[in-house]
Amino acid sequence: MMLQAQGSLAESVDGDELRSEDGFPGERPCLNYYCLYLYQTGSLSLSVADSDDGSPAGAMGEMSSNEDFSLSLVDTSLPAESEPELKGFIAKWLSRGALFEGMGNVSPVELSFPEYSLGCYYCLLRQDQACESSNQPPEYVVCFLGGSEKGLELFRLELDKYAAVLKTKLDPQMINLEVEIKPLLSNWFGDSVLPIYRVVTLFQEKLAYLLHAALSYTPVEVNNADPGTQNDINRFMSLASLQGLVQEGTMNSLCIVMSDELQKPVHVDFSDSQPQFINAVSNKFCEDWMQVFINTYDGGNPFLFRQKLENFKLKVIQDMNSLKRLIRQAEMSHYALFRCYTFLKNCGNGDLLLKFVKVEQAEMPESGSVVSVLEEFILEEGSAVHNS
């Protein structure tokens, strides 16, 4: 019943709509491209006019702004016929002053190849120091294309960080183009979009242990794994936690409580062909959501995994708010207390939700007696935690 409810939630938020827009069902490959331009102001070499629908009329057209600038191609993986179209698209936004240094945007872009809309992340990068031949620091525009606008928007913050790393490698003479810059540009999709996909593919049913560790702020130590796998797991744990979704004070208190309980870190050992877990636990909630993840696997859509992870955290927050509301009602009603019992028993995540609520008890001390009774109930019923 729990799995069905969560599956319905996932579908209602991102299901067919996300799959049709961002997926690559069957025959459609997971195409991704990059493009890097040198952006210079004060020299008019490219202009565009907007069409009636707001899209660029072409790579060359009449200037729609009084600003003069040029875009010089540094490197791209786009087909030759598509790059001028992207340049016109970027020029449109530059002429409107819609690009801000270090803050990327995501928009759909129509190119002659591929023959469908792609999501395009584009960001203005300004070096910190001016070059010898100019009083102004060099500026660049980096573009990452893949999926759709909705799918790529899920990764915008990661792409901002990735662009910031790229910025530190940029050099006006481009002497490191082949050694440092091209590898960064070429690997943007694998480094920013695919980590969740790779973790789900790697762990399958054991993913539930990582989900529970992320929610409970249990440290995860990875042994005998290559650096790429370790980075993927660290990224997954960070994205699966509730960091940023609950108040910072509550987050800090929760981390202290978990530390005081002397939790043993979860060990993931890659000595054998399959990863082995030590000291790992899960519960029904995490196991149900693990099924939601691996049932998505056959779709081959890396953007869906990020959406599922966001839905997973959303469900935890919703359940936490429901429990707090029931606890407030239970202060005056024995029936509401019974509803608290029922909720904790059926949600599959009672062991963690009660810890979250207990941390916030300082904000509602009048609920202390109710929380204590519920803790006794959890102990008597058993926490329904499953060990590795």
Side-chain angles (χ1 to χ4, degrees):
M1 186 68 179
M2 184 71 176
L3 177 59
Q4 181 180 359
Q6 290 170 341
S8 298
L9 171 65
E11 290 171 4
S12 67
V13 175
D14 68 20
D16 293 337
E17 180 183 358
L18 182 62
R19 185 177 300 274
S20 62
E21 292 184 355
D22 302 317
F24 308 95
E27 74 283 359
R28 183 178 295 183
C30 191
L31 298 176
N32 60 90
Y33 306 96
Y34 68 83
C35 203
L36 179 65
Y37 294 105
L38 174 65
Y39 170 55
Q40 295 174 295
T41 57
S43 57
L44 178 60
S45 68
L46 176 67
S47 58
V48 300
D50 289 346
S51 60
D52 292 338
D53 61 358
S55 61
M60 299 296 293
E62 295 183 2
M63 175 59 78
S64 59
S65 168
N66 292 326
E67 295 183 71
D68 297 343
F69 61 87
S70 68
L71 284 173
S72 303
L73 179 64
V74 176
D75 192 39
T76 186
S77 62
L78 274 171
E81 66 270 24
S82 299
E83 186 276 322
E85 298 169 337
L86 178 64
K87 183 180 289 186
F89 172 82
I90 296 299
K92 177 190 71 171
W93 293 108
L94 285 169
S95 66
R96 293 177 176 178
L99 270 70
F100 301 95
E101 203 281 327
M103 298 175 58
N105 298 295
V106 177
S107 299
V109 59
E110 296 280 352
L111 303 176
S112 57
F113 180 87
E115 296 179 352
Y116 52 86
S117 176
L118 281 176
C120 179
Y121 167 90
Y122 47 99
C123 183
L124 179 66
L125 302 177
R126 180 182 301 116
Q127 290 193 293
D128 297 327
Q129 296 181 347
C131 59
E132 296 180 359
S133 60
S134 172
N135 294 326
Q136 294 183 339
E139 294 181 303
Y140 301 86
V141 177
V142 63
C143 305
F144 298 130
L145 299 93
S148 79
E149 177 186 15
K150 184 178 179 183
L152 211 56
E153 180 65 35
L154 293 169
F155 294 90
R156 184 171 54 82
L157 295 180
E158 283 91 337
L159 293 174
D160 279 346
K161 295 177 182 178
Y162 200 80
V165 174
L166 175 66
K167 173 183 172 180
T168 65
K169 307 294 183 181
L170 294 175
D171 173 67
Q173 285 74 41
M174 288 294 163
I175 57 177
N176 60 343
L177 177 62
E178 296 293 334
V179 177
E180 292 187 288
I181 297 176
K182 268 195 173 184
L184 264 177
L185 292 169
S186 300
N187 293 330
W188 77 269
F189 193 78
D191 290 347
S192 300
V193 176
L194 292 183
I196 299 173
Y197 178 89
R198 288 194 292 259
V199 168
V200 174
T201 305
L202 175 63
F203 288 102
Q204 294 289 297
E205 288 82 1
K206 295 178 181 178
L207 186 72
Y209 296 133
L210 292 184
L211 293 173
H212 191 278
L215 289 183
S216 61
Y217 294 91
T218 303
V220 174
E221 297 182 2
V222 182
N223 307 115
N224 302 310
D226 62 85
T229 299
Q230 185 157 351
N231 289 337
D232 284 350
I233 295 173
N234 292 339
R235 176 79 65 83
F236 182 90
M237 297 301 295
S238 175
L239 293 174
S241 75
L242 299 182
Q243 190 79 34
L245 295 179
V246 298
Q247 295 181 357
E248 185 175 352
T250 299
M251 184 66 61
N252 293 336
S253 299
L254 181 61
C255 292
I256 292 173
V257 168
M258 296 303 183
S259 300
D260 290 344
E261 292 182 356
L262 300 177
Q263 286 182 305
K264 294 181 180 179
V266 173
H267 292 270
V268 188
D269 189 6
F270 285 85
S271 298
D272 298 327
S273 58
Q274 294 296 320
Q276 301 298 319
F277 281 83
I278 303 172
N279 299 329
V281 298
S282 67
N283 57 22
K284 187 177 185 299
F285 179 84
C286 293
E287 290 167 0
D288 286 346
W289 272 94
M290 171 270 295
Q291 291 290 338
V292 172
F293 276 96
I294 65 175
N295 288 340
T296 307
Y297 171 67
D298 291 337
N301 184 340
F303 298 99
L304 270 177
F305 289 105
R306 179 58 182 272
Q307 185 67 73
K308 298 294 183 185
L309 199 58
E310 295 303 315
N311 291 349
F312 165 75
K313 295 187 291 184
L314 174 62
K315 180 60 176 172
V316 175
I317 296 297
Q318 289 175 338
D319 285 351
M320 193 188 312
N321 290 335
S322 296
L323 179 59
K324 288 192 289 187
R325 184 171 61 252
L326 288 171
I327 288 176
R328 285 193 293 267
Q329 295 173 357
E331 296 165 13
M332 298 174 290
S333 167
H334 290 295
Y335 177 69
L337 182 60
F338 173 75
R339 291 176 62 197
C340 286
Y341 291 152
T342 303
F343 181 83
L344 287 173
K345 185 176 181 179
N346 294 336
C347 73
N349 201 25
D351 58 313
L352 294 180
L353 289 180
L354 203 54
K355 287 181 181 179
F356 296 153
V357 172
K358 186 178 180 180
V359 167
E360 295 187 353
Q361 188 178 327
E363 301 174 8
M364 46 179 191
E366 65 279 1
S367 303
S369 59
V370 176
V371 173
S372 297
V373 171
L374 293 175
E375 282 186 306
E376 294 178 8
F377 168 76
I378 286 290
L379 290 175
E380 291 174 0
E381 289 288 320
S383 58
V385 168
H386 308 144
N387 297 312
S388 58

